[in-house]
Amino acid sequence: MLKFLKILIAVSFITSPVFASSLGLGRTATQDEVAAWNTDIRPDGIGLPVGGGSVIDGEEIFVEKCASCHGDFGEAVDRWPVLAGGDGTLSDDRPVKTVGSYWPYLSTVFDYVGRAMPFGNARSLSNDEVYALVAYILYVNDTVDDEEFILSNENFLSIAQENVDGFYMDDRPQVEYSKFIREACMSNCKETVQITARAAVVDVTPEETAAAATAETAVANAETEDVAALDAELVAAGTKVFKKCKSCHKVGEGAKNGVGPHLNGIFDRAAGSNEGFKYSKAMKAEAEAGLIWDEANLRAFITKPKAMIKKTKMSFPGLKKEADMNAIIEYLKSISQ
Amino acid sequence: MAKDTTRRSFIKAGFAAGAGLAAGQASAAGDPLITETQDWNQQLGFGVDERPYGIPSEFQKHVKRRSVPWLTADPISSINFTPLHELDGIITPNGLCFERHHGGAAEYDPASHRLMINGLVDEELVFTMEDIMRFPRENHVYFLECAANTGMEWRGAQLNGCQFTHGMIHNVMYTGIPLRLILKEAGVKADGKWLLAEGADASGMTRSIPMEKALDDCLVAFKMNGEALRPEQGYPLRLVVPGWEGNMWIKWLRRLEVGDQPWHHREETSKYTDLLEDGNARRFTWVMDAKSVITNPSPQAPITHGPGPTVLTGVAWSGHGTIPQVDVTIDGGKNWHKARISGPSLDKSMHRFYYEFDWDGSELLLQSRAHDSTGYVQPTKDELRAIRGTNSIYHNNGIQTWYVNKEGVAENVEIS
């Protein structure tokens, strides 16, 4: 690293004369513009906004917006990232790398949640909500044990991550290159050779079978026939709008429940009737009350989910444009025939 | 051939043909493809403009990117693989370059794109794409390899096909602006030693890059192989970080922040760090070391022609420079032969090698071994595991072995 820094200094001397001239392209960024995008956080706390949130508040937000992928306690669903546990496993045969066991800096959690979460609705959390979520993640990792604990910009730097000293600068030049910059043997290099492992034994390579290809064609054909009765242009537009939905809702042949229930046959179907999906209590109550996903109800729900069903798990904020709404309704009809 | 014929049935058909009458062989009366007039000899083909943006022949439908569904929780934050066994030369066609997104592939109007430079600079600036197009441009061919390429093979042979074992790589010609020219416009301050690059997509991808690299050979690119970047490759603007792990090549590049320290964001702490045996991890393992793979024969591309003249080919690359030499063995490393490199030998670019031999129909254990311009010789997987342990996963550049049986079928194996 020292050598690397020396090079840096040398480079800055070499390049400084080049910096004397410029093309005069671009314009000065306004303060508001820089503030809007410059939200990154560093381990030394630079970038942390003023604010705070408690473990209890964090739990409520987490269950509503994060638990469908990460599990109620950060244990994760399917192959989504595990956020908690794994303490002391880093040198085990199967290490569990979580925020608690592996991440060296808490600032990384704040930065990442703020910029990329929840999946499918990034940059929608307030700073206080992010503080609360980070506090909850600390709690499920046993870094803090008081559920009244409030994490804020004031105490943020006092929280140390367990694995903060678990990383060091790339040492391949010393450890590996010194070994592998070498002469290579060309003939009579070994006497015997044996196969020690075979991929066929593991058998995890994806297969494409003729049956699957035929099924795909059949589905494609079926869809073409069905949508003929609908407004094809609107369905096409709806397919695009559906990009906002498809990270959570699967459709088509063999679609499975994901973060949200699959939507095959959703139109005119009874609410909460998708077998195997863990609906929110609120949705179950609506289902018992006899809610049917007809056009009017779908429109109302998709416009602003939480306005219609306050405690729904669906974190999507809602479709604002009338044109998008018309398109998505036509699309949902098309996948329900 | 029926339209829905898959690669697998194609391979089976190949074997069937090999067992009976080899394709192109004449019967007593001669090959009907020659003695009889075919439809395409007689009827007119399609006219100009029928395919205004050209597409491959319909007989090339098996040539496509493929994914491994069990790898990730969701196809939006996932990866697929370049079909290396179907390609030749050194350039990857744009539509076959593997995809890796963390929040899906953003697609938006370049007129709505902005690039901001902020932080430790004399003047914080905003550029439109129109501004970007007024900088002097350069053209360079570089490989982009994901740090996780061959990661599934770290603990042992797992996937049957070089597309899956080595397909997180592509090699294209970029047209772009040297990053130092863009930084010069803002004026980097003396303590500006690090750069944070940030994407405009829903994952807001960020990576810290040392200023030394930024001022050296990084590009801000808008074209690949002569045409606009594909949406899945960061249209309209991406960062090119030659020889360094693919995750740093921020797509949909919207911001460059100059700072005095690295940011230690998610993809440079939680991900892309190399956990070693003792529970400590290497970080900032940016350079992709010398590596090679035989693309043909390989599990997805068996030998179907039987004994006789056989073409073995593959690709090699190094993040440290060029590849002056590739060695090939067909007996599991007892004896090695210098392969023939054909095509341009460019810095931090893929190289194409060939080894032609007369196959006697016996079993083969195929390996390739790259030498780079620093004198580094590609190690075996066992040599790397002896240093890194079994939990490292990323940056696996060990030698790959294919076992070929007497029928010409190839399998991914490890050998002593």
Side-chain angles (χ1 to χ4, degrees):
Chain A
M1 191 65 196
L2 200 64
K3 187 183 166 196
F4 173 70
L5 284 176
K6 276 186 194 155
I7 296 167
L8 277 186
I9 292 160
V11 166
S12 62
F13 276 120
I14 296 163
T15 51
S16 47
V18 185
F19 278 55
S21 68
S22 76
L23 296 167
L25 293 171
R27 62 162 177 84
T28 306
T30 70
Q31 279 188 338
D32 285 354
E33 286 171 340
V34 174
W37 280 7
N38 186 29
T39 59
D40 51 84
I41 321 289
R42 262 180 15 181
D44 59 6
I46 288 187
L48 274 176
V50 173
S54 69
V55 171
I56 294 181
D57 290 346
E59 181 181 21
E60 196 173 320
I61 302 163
F62 193 89
V63 167
E64 184 194 337
K65 298 185 176 178
C66 319
S68 54
C69 293
H70 295 295
D72 282 355
F73 304 99
E75 75 280 11
V77 175
D78 299 331
R79 293 187 66 86
W80 295 103
V82 181
L83 303 185
D87 218 19
T89 66
L90 295 182
S91 52
D92 289 1
D93 185 42
R94 296 281 169 183
V96 182
K97 298 193 272 186
T98 73
V99 173
S101 70
Y102 194 62
W103 292 38
Y105 304 108
L106 194 60
S107 58
T108 312
V109 189
F110 194 104
D111 177 89
Y112 183 70
V113 173
R115 73 171 57 249
M117 291 291 113
F119 191 65
N121 194 19
R123 299 178 173 114
S124 62
L125 299 164
S126 71
N127 288 329
D128 287 349
E129 284 179 310
V130 179
Y131 275 111
L133 283 170
V134 178
Y136 182 67
I137 293 168
L138 286 172
Y139 180 76
V140 292
N141 275 293
D142 298 323
T143 310
V144 299
D145 51 16
D146 179 5
E147 53 184 58
E148 306 288 330
F149 173 78
I150 293 170
L151 182 69
S152 72
N153 56 304
E154 308 260 320
N155 63 2
F156 197 91
L157 293 182
S158 69
I159 310 283
Q161 286 289 91
E162 196 178 285
N163 197 37
V164 64
D165 297 321
F167 294 82
Y168 56 91
M169 186 68 191
D170 183 8
D171 63 352
R172 285 176 297 172
Q174 299 81 44
V175 177
E176 297 189 5
Y177 302 166
S178 56
K179 269 198 170 73
F180 302 139
I181 294 179
R182 58 184 174 182
E183 288 296 311
C185 175
M186 293 301 285
S187 52
N188 301 315
C189 303
K190 48 186 168 184
E191 289 193 359
T192 57
V193 182
Q194 290 212 312
I195 292 177
T196 55
R198 312 180 68 130
V201 175
V202 186
D203 194 22
V204 288
T205 312
E207 286 215 19
E208 287 169 54
T209 62
T214 314
E216 255 173 52
T217 318
V219 172
N221 290 344
E223 276 176 5
T224 323
E225 282 161 29
D226 284 342
V227 298
L230 299 159
D231 182 336
E233 221 167 275
L234 211 47
V235 172
T239 311
K240 278 193 185 161
V241 179
F242 193 70
K243 281 163 77 176
K244 291 177 193 288
C245 322
K246 71 180 182 187
S247 64
C248 298
H249 294 290
K250 305 302 170 203
V251 295
E253 182 76 11
K256 289 185 182 133
N257 294 324
V259 174
H262 79 71
L263 294 183
N264 288 342
I266 181 69
F267 207 83
D268 281 341
R269 190 173 71 193
S273 63
N274 208 333
E275 244 176 73
F277 185 77
K278 214 176 131 195
Y279 289 97
S280 63
K281 277 183 194 160
M283 188 60 79
K284 280 185 195 156
E286 290 290 342
E288 273 166 37
L291 177 69
I292 300 291
W293 288 126
D294 58 16
E295 180 160 346
N297 282 330
L298 277 173
R299 277 179 184 271
F301 189 60
I302 300 168
T303 302
K304 200 173 180 188
K306 285 188 168 52
M308 180 175 170
I309 304 174
K310 198 174 166 214
K311 295 262 178 178
T312 176
K313 270 180 17 184
M314 188 154 111
S315 63
F316 184 66
L319 274 186
K320 294 185 185 78
K321 292 180 193 159
E322 182 69 23
D324 285 353
M325 179 60 75
N326 293 337
I328 202 82
I329 291 294
E330 199 72 355
Y331 175 75
L332 291 176
K333 277 184 199 167
S334 79
I335 59 164
S336 300
Q337 290 187 348
Chain B
M1 200 175 287
K3 267 194 176 176
D4 64 353
T5 301
T6 63
R7 180 73 201 158
R8 199 161 288 268
S9 58
F10 174 74
I11 291 166
K12 276 187 195 148
F15 287 131
L21 191 70
Q25 197 173 320
S27 67
D31 184 349
L33 283 168
I34 296 170
T35 57
E36 292 168 20
T37 302
Q38 305 298 314
D39 287 353
W40 60 89
N41 305 145
Q42 200 153 42
Q43 295 159 16
L44 301 175
F46 64 81
V48 296
D49 286 352
E50 188 164 319
R51 298 175 186 178
Y53 199 112
I55 53 167
S57 159
E58 66 168 298
F59 298 98
Q60 289 289 301
K61 281 189 175 155
H62 55 283
V63 181
K64 59 180 183 182
R65 299 180 285 216
R66 289 181 176 83
S67 62
V68 176
W70 55 261
L71 261 186
T72 53
D74 185 279
I76 302 292
S77 179
S78 191
I79 191 152
N80 61 17
F81 303 86
T82 304
L84 293 175
H85 61 293
E86 300 285 1
L87 304 177
D88 215 321
I90 67 164
I91 295 294
T92 315
N94 289 341
L96 295 176
C97 290
F98 83 95
E99 306 170 82
R100 204 295 183 233
H101 323 305
H102 295 74
E107 190 168 12
Y108 56 94
D109 186 348
S112 304
H113 190 73
R114 300 289 182 269
L115 175 66
M116 178 187 288
I117 302 184
N118 71 299
L120 297 176
V121 290
D122 296 332
E123 193 181 6
E124 297 183 315
L125 294 175
V126 171
F127 301 99
T128 61
M129 283 304 292
E130 223 171 22
D131 298 329
I132 297 290
M133 304 307 280
R134 295 173 67 189
F135 282 91
R137 302 169 200 173
E138 288 186 9
N139 294 299
H140 295 277
V141 178
Y142 292 123
F143 76 84
L144 178 162
E145 184 184 17
C146 176
N149 197 22
T150 326
M152 290 92 80
E153 303 297 309
W154 183 251
R155 281 170 175 262
Q158 196 164 230
L159 291 157
N160 255 327
C162 71
Q163 178 167 21
F164 302 114
T165 57
H166 289 75
M168 295 183 195
I169 187 166
H170 54 67
N171 198 62
V172 312
M173 177 178 281
Y174 294 97
T175 305
I177 320 298
L179 177 56
R180 63 179 171 276
L181 295 186
I182 294 178
L183 290 171
K184 188 174 78 175
E185 287 300 299
V188 175
K189 290 187 169 162
D191 51 350
K193 299 299 181 205
W194 288 85
L195 193 64
L196 183 78
E198 179 183 74
D201 64 316
S203 78
M205 181 58 64
T206 45
R207 284 297 298 257
S208 304
I209 298 165
M211 191 59 73
E212 180 197 16
K213 180 69 174 175
L215 297 177
D216 179 18
D217 57 359
C218 290
L219 296 175
V220 173
F222 47 87
K223 301 272 197 210
M224 56 193 291
N225 292 334
E227 66 174 6
L229 295 172
R230 292 290 170 93
E232 64 269 33
Q233 303 300 340
Y235 176 83
L237 203 61
R238 90 170 303 166
L239 195 61
V240 170
V241 190
W244 289 21
E245 61 188 14
N247 181 254
M248 305 177 84
W249 301 44
I250 301 296
K251 300 189 281 190
W252 309 285
L253 179 70
R254 79 166 190 180
R255 193 165 67 95
L256 297 162
E257 180 177 356
V258 179
D260 60 353
Q261 287 173 38
W263 279 259
H264 296 286
H265 278 180
R266 180 177 183 262
E267 315 300 312
E268 51 203 15
T269 55
S270 156
K271 308 290 173 189
Y272 306 112
T273 47
D274 307 86
L275 181 59
L276 304 188
E277 195 100 68
D278 64 359
N280 288 314
R282 285 176 181 158
R283 70 171 153 219
F284 299 151
T285 38
W286 300 306
V287 184
M288 301 306 292
D289 291 332
K291 186 166 169 180
S292 66
V293 66
I294 293 168
T295 56
N296 309 75
S298 65
Q300 294 161 292
I303 305 175
T304 54
H305 54 58
T310 301
V311 174
L312 178 157
T313 184
V315 283
W317 61 92
S318 169
H320 292 282
T322 58
I323 300 288
Q325 183 182 335
V326 178
D327 308 323
V328 166
T329 176
I330 61 172
D331 61 9
K334 290 179 186 168
N335 296 292
W336 293 83
H337 315 274
K338 274 193 191 178
R340 188 168 57 84
I341 292 176
S342 176
S345 170
L346 301 167
D347 185 44
K348 303 178 184 75
S349 162
M350 259 188 191
H351 292 57
R352 170 63 58 174
F353 66 86
Y354 298 95
Y355 175 68
E356 294 85 6
F357 67 105
D358 193 357
W359 183 39
D360 61 5
S362 64
E363 294 175 314
L364 305 170
L365 286 168
L366 307 179
Q367 294 183 327
S368 62
R369 181 173 71 188
H371 300 237
D372 78 12
S373 46
T374 70
Y376 178 100
V377 181
Q378 186 183 0
T380 64
K381 280 161 84 175
D382 281 339
E383 285 177 313
L384 288 176
R385 284 188 289 234
I387 296 169
R388 302 181 190 171
T390 51
N391 291 331
S392 158
I393 301 165
Y394 297 113
H395 307 102
N396 175 11
N397 65 314
I399 288 173
Q400 172 66 44
T401 312
W402 308 125
Y403 161 70
V404 180
N405 72 11
K406 288 175 181 167
E407 281 75 48
V409 175
E411 188 193 334
N412 178 9
V413 300
E414 289 195 1
I415 57 171
S416 58

